Amino acid sequence: MQVILMSIKPKYAEQIIRGNKTIELRRVAPNLDKATVILIYESTPVKAITGYAFISEITKLSPSEAWAQYAGKAQISKRDFDEYYQGTDHAFAIHLKEAARLLEPISLANLRSEQILFNPPQSYRYLHLQAFGEEIGQEIHAVKQRATAAC
């Protein structure tokens, strides 16, 4: 099972956690295995892992096809979409399911103190769940067990 830490703006992270945003659009897609977990890192001003979701698939298509098929599920304005995809021919739609909020957010300060993460990724970063110590990672370990059982 793979774990990806994905930086997401707070307004979009909240929509994912609420279940309103089921598609995360990216210019570059991660290389995934079955049962991949996204840890949702909310960027500034939150600066914490606040939730998670499971990835069911990734679809590669053109930006115009991505807008036509996924605009509503991606919860993004046309202006922001066009700005994000300017100058590229590819769009990747990451299909999310079973999103949830962590009971206790894991702050950037805690991630740094445990030497899990020094700088948040611009887009995403692969992680090893073993890096999360018991003190800050109990809920993360429970997510791992749930994902492993689903395989």
Side-chain angles (χ1 to χ4, degrees):
M1 175 191 68
Q2 288 182 306
V3 179
I4 294 175
L5 180 70
M6 192 170 281
S7 289
I8 300 175
K9 292 180 180 180
K11 68 179 181 178
Y12 297 124
E14 184 62 31
Q15 292 302 315
I16 291 170
I17 291 168
R18 287 184 179 174
N20 299 329
K21 179 176 169 60
T22 57
I23 298 290
E24 175 64 14
L25 295 170
R26 293 291 165 134
R27 292 170 62 114
V28 177
N31 185 16
L32 302 173
D33 287 342
K34 196 174 179 181
T36 297
V37 176
I38 286 181
L39 295 179
I40 299 168
Y41 175 84
E42 289 192 42
S43 58
T44 302
V46 177
K47 297 181 182 179
I49 298 174
T50 58
Y52 63 91
F54 294 92
I55 298 174
S56 60
E57 68 176 294
I58 294 181
T59 307
K60 180 182 178 182
L61 52 170
S62 72
S64 61
E65 291 170 324
W67 178 257
Q69 290 184 37
Y70 301 120
K73 293 179 180 181
Q75 299 284 303
I76 188 170
S77 72
K78 180 68 167 139
R79 190 183 107 232
D80 288 346
F81 178 90
D82 288 343
E83 184 179 307
Y84 183 67
Y85 281 106
Q86 185 176 0
T88 187
D89 296 330
H90 304 293
F92 295 91
I94 301 172
H95 301 250
L96 307 173
K97 63 180 182 177
E98 301 178 49
R101 182 179 309 283
L102 292 179
L103 297 175
E104 225 19 73
I106 303 172
S107 71
L108 179 58
N110 280 346
L111 293 168
R112 285 180 172 157
S113 72
E114 295 288 322
Q115 299 183 357
I116 296 168
L117 181 69
F118 291 98
N119 294 307
Q122 288 279 54
S123 183
Y124 62 87
R125 175 177 292 160
Y126 298 98
L127 289 179
H128 297 285
L129 285 181
Q130 296 82 352
F132 288 85
E134 284 300 314
E135 189 174 309
I136 68 166
Q138 288 179 349
E139 193 172 0
I140 300 297
H141 289 292
V143 171
K144 176 187 175 190
Q145 290 173 342
R146 185 174 152 215
T148 302
C151 291

